[in-house]
Amino acid sequence: MSQRPILVFDSGIGGLTVLRELRVAIPDRRFIYIADDAGFPYGDWEESALIERIVALFDGLIAEHRPQLAVIACNTASTLVLAHLRAAFDIPFVGTVPAIKPAAERSRSGLVSVLATPGTVKRDYTRGLITDFARDCEVNLVGSRRLAGLAEAHIRGERVGFDELETEISACFVQKEGRRTDIVVLACTHYPFLANTFRKIAPWPVDWLDPAEAIARHAAKVLPDIAPGLPEGFDRAVFTGGAPDYPTRRLMHGFGLSLGPGEGTASAWRALG
Ligand code: DGL
């Protein structure tokens, strides 16, 4: 019997930053990466339409792949649809939500910024995290319309200028009464791909908080201890928009993800079912 896979879901390539840590935490599992590139970017979607889209997508994904767990590796989706997915389907879901609690615990200056999509910034869920866990901090929500797209362009090998990125992140840096921002939460899974550049262009050093490792550890706890069957076959990626472009295919290959039956051996693909 082939092992039931773990689905890792994002609007694009951002969820790869979570997949990387999942593979460290639970190396004995098989992963299917789902990129809803036909819906990308999620940041500006109207909330009820996005809920409807993602629940409908999961209807098909769960019937087709019979996953043992789904990781929603997207803040914009998790802060909106997790409750709906849990109510609709009988598998565990692990979400990715802004790491406001650890940021508030670690900040020395009490000035924390959350860099996210406009969708994540406006969610009640995000405001609730601030009220529940960051009462003693000043939390500055910074919504960027362009950064997820710039991260995709950067990873595809296109030139993304420092000035473009500076414009998007400058609002994260606050100085007040002798204190200054010391933590910026990367509250979109695309942004860790740009973190090295953020470090270069930041007006002063801050901790860029990426919650991927914590999410992976949580997923390991939620899973049953014993994986049923061997993780036979390839990890693979599925794009809702059909065949992705060449740089994106190369990126997927770099992450050890196959994109179609033509890329594996026939027996491995039979095992994938
Ligand atoms: N990667 C997604 C997140 O974590 C958002 C990207 C998008 O704008 O679709 O929020």
Side-chain angles (χ1 to χ4, degrees):
M1 181 184 76
S2 141
Q3 188 194 104
R4 289 167 64 199
I6 294 176
L7 295 186
V8 181
F9 179 86
D10 182 37
S11 58
I13 62 168
L16 294 172
T17 61
V18 178
L19 175 67
R20 187 166 52 196
E21 298 299 332
L22 285 165
R23 281 170 155 168
V24 174
I26 37 176
D28 58 341
R29 309 296 160 126
R30 181 160 71 86
F31 295 94
I32 300 184
Y33 186 82
I34 312 288
D36 182 17
D37 60 328
F40 180 85
Y42 277 175
D44 277 329
W45 272 70
E46 198 270 311
E47 294 194 344
S48 58
L50 190 57
I51 294 169
E52 210 176 297
R53 177 183 182 83
I54 296 174
V55 172
L57 271 175
F58 267 89
D59 214 17
L61 289 170
I62 288 175
E64 187 180 349
H65 302 294
R66 298 191 315 108
Q68 50 181 305
L69 171 84
V71 178
I72 308 301
C74 173
N75 294 261
T76 315
S78 296
T79 49
L80 186 65
V81 302
L82 264 184
H84 297 268
L85 290 170
R86 287 179 178 138
F89 305 106
D90 195 19
I91 59 161
F93 285 88
V94 169
T96 307
V97 300
I100 288 169
K101 183 172 184 244
E105 284 164 0
R106 282 183 221 173
S107 174
R108 286 161 177 259
S109 70
L111 297 179
V112 166
S113 289
V114 177
L115 185 59
T117 67
T120 300
V121 161
K122 71 170 187 228
R123 302 270 187 262
D124 291 342
Y125 192 104
T126 305
R127 311 269 159 170
L129 289 174
I130 297 171
T131 314
D132 292 346
F133 302 114
R135 277 186 185 281
D136 298 335
C137 282
E138 284 178 53
V139 180
N140 169 34
L141 295 172
V142 180
S144 167
R145 265 210 166 82
R146 299 190 58 222
L147 266 184
L150 290 173
E152 297 242 340
H154 168 71
I155 288 300
R156 274 200 301 270
E158 292 165 28
R159 210 185 113 65
V160 176
F162 281 2
D163 48 342
E164 285 178 278
L165 296 178
E166 256 164 12
T167 309
E168 300 304 308
I169 69 168
S170 62
C172 292
F173 293 86
V174 177
Q175 306 203 60
K176 206 170 178 183
E177 295 148 10
R179 297 175 297 141
R180 56 188 196 181
T181 305
D182 60 354
I183 300 192
V184 178
V185 177
L186 296 171
C188 168
T189 52
H190 280 68
Y191 301 171
F193 281 124
L194 293 169
N196 287 333
T197 312
F198 291 164
R199 288 187 187 98
K200 287 191 216 299
I201 63 178
W204 59 80
V206 294
D207 186 0
W208 298 92
L209 194 62
D210 174 5
E213 195 188 328
I215 293 155
R217 271 190 270 114
H218 180 62
K221 276 192 208 135
V222 168
L223 277 171
D225 284 344
I226 298 166
L230 289 171
E232 228 178 312
F234 297 102
D235 288 353
R236 57 192 280 221
V238 176
F239 284 72
T240 57
D245 61 15
Y246 177 67
T248 307
R249 291 206 306 276
R250 284 204 53 178
L251 175 69
M252 294 299 140
H253 294 161
F255 271 81
L257 298 166
S258 297
L259 280 148
E263 292 182 355
T265 63
S267 62
W269 280 96
R270 269 199 298 279
L272 286 176

